[in-house]
Amino acid sequence: DVKVTQSSRYLVKRTGEKVFLECVQDMDHENMFWYRQDPGLGLRLIYFSYDVKMKEKGDIPEGYSVSREKKERFSLILESASTNQTSMYLCASRPQGPGANVLTFGAGSRLTVL
Amino acid sequence: GESVGLHLPTLSVQEGDNSIINCAYSNSASDYFIWYKQESGKGPQFIIDIRSNMDKRQGQRVTVLLNKTVKHLSLQIAATQPGDSAVYFCAENKQAGTALIFGKGTTLSVSS
């Protein structure tokens, strides 16, 4: 069964801490994405990556950075966590190519910043 | 920016009824639409998709309708079951290879 695995399901951090959210996919997908999900706002795109070492800003990149050193791994970094970054974070991947639109999601990482 | 939106944040139905979840989109250039289902504690899962050159597509108990004239997308679930209780998201793809844009979601509650 193909998978997108987010290593941490629940995290509690303090304001100002550096936070790493890790995502690994075993489908050899080129494209990977980070969304955050908030009640009433749906899913909003933070960053995405078309390939190793490549990254593109999404709609809400402020306060976040990403790292894609290996094809299977896409990390989301909060350099200095703030309370307004308390949210559910969803990682997704898909293959490259025409017709490749469907994203496969991980189970999510729920982050609470105190 | 342009976004995909849903008409109602919540929908409550009785088991066995047919459910219709609606979505309005604003980007007439979008060529591909997807419906996702998200159960509690899980990530969104693909249900069904439709391309802009189609107006209807059927799956198992689900049908997606696309009305490009009014930029409206709907998901119909036949004989709704308690296991269908979840949050449903529509998503659009402006062009191949770009990131999906998601709507705000509709929470479907099915009572038996």
Side-chain angles (χ1 to χ4, degrees), chain B residues 26-37:
Chain B
S26 58
N27 188 347
S28 56
S30 293
D31 67 350
Y32 184 79
F33 303 88
I34 305 176
W35 281 99
Y36 280 89
K37 173 186 180 183

Side-chain angles (χ1 to χ4, degrees), chain A residues 9 35 37 50 94 101 103, chain B residues 32 36 38 41 93 97-98 100:
Chain A
R9 291 298 307 274
Y35 289 85
Q37 181 179 10
Y50 286 127
R94 75 176 177 206
N101 293 291
L103 300 180
Chain B
Y32 184 79
Y36 280 89
Q38 185 178 25
N93 196 344
T98 61
L100 291 176

Side-chain angles (χ1 to χ4, degrees), chain A residues 25-31 68 71-72 94-96:
Chain A
Q25 49 95 4
D26 64 1
M27 297 168 281
D28 201 36
H29 285 172
E30 287 80 10
N31 300 170
R68 183 106 182 263
K71 189 176 186 179
E72 67 270 20
R94 75 176 177 206
Q96 185 73 13

Side-chain angles (χ1 to χ4, degrees), chain A residues 6 8-12 21 37-39 85-90 107-113, chain B residues 38 41:
Chain A
Q6 296 182 231
S8 302
R9 291 298 307 274
Y10 301 95
L11 303 94
V12 180
L21 298 180
Q37 181 179 10
D38 300 288
Q85 293 178 309
T86 292
S87 186
M88 170 69 84
Y89 290 88
L90 291 165
S109 298
R110 184 167 293 281
L111 171 66
T112 301
V113 183
Chain B
Q38 185 178 25

Side-chain angles (χ1 to χ4, degrees), chain A residues 9 31 33 35 37 40-43 45 48 50 59 88 90 94 98-108, chain B residues 31-32 34 36 38 41-46 49 51 87 89 93 95-105:
Chain A
R9 291 298 307 274
N31 300 170
F33 304 81
Y35 289 85
Q37 181 179 10
L41 296 177
L43 278 68
L45 181 66
F48 60 104
Y50 286 127
D59 298 320
M88 170 69 84
L90 291 165
R94 75 176 177 206
N101 293 291
V102 178
L103 300 180
T104 300
F105 281 89
Chain B
D31 67 350
Y32 184 79
I34 305 176
Y36 280 89
Q38 185 178 25
K42 298 183 179 179
Q45 292 183 300
F46 170 86
D49 57 359
R51 295 202 174 276
V87 180
F89 292 97
N93 196 344
Q95 60 186 66
T98 61
L100 291 176
I101 301 170
F102 285 81
K104 294 177 171 51

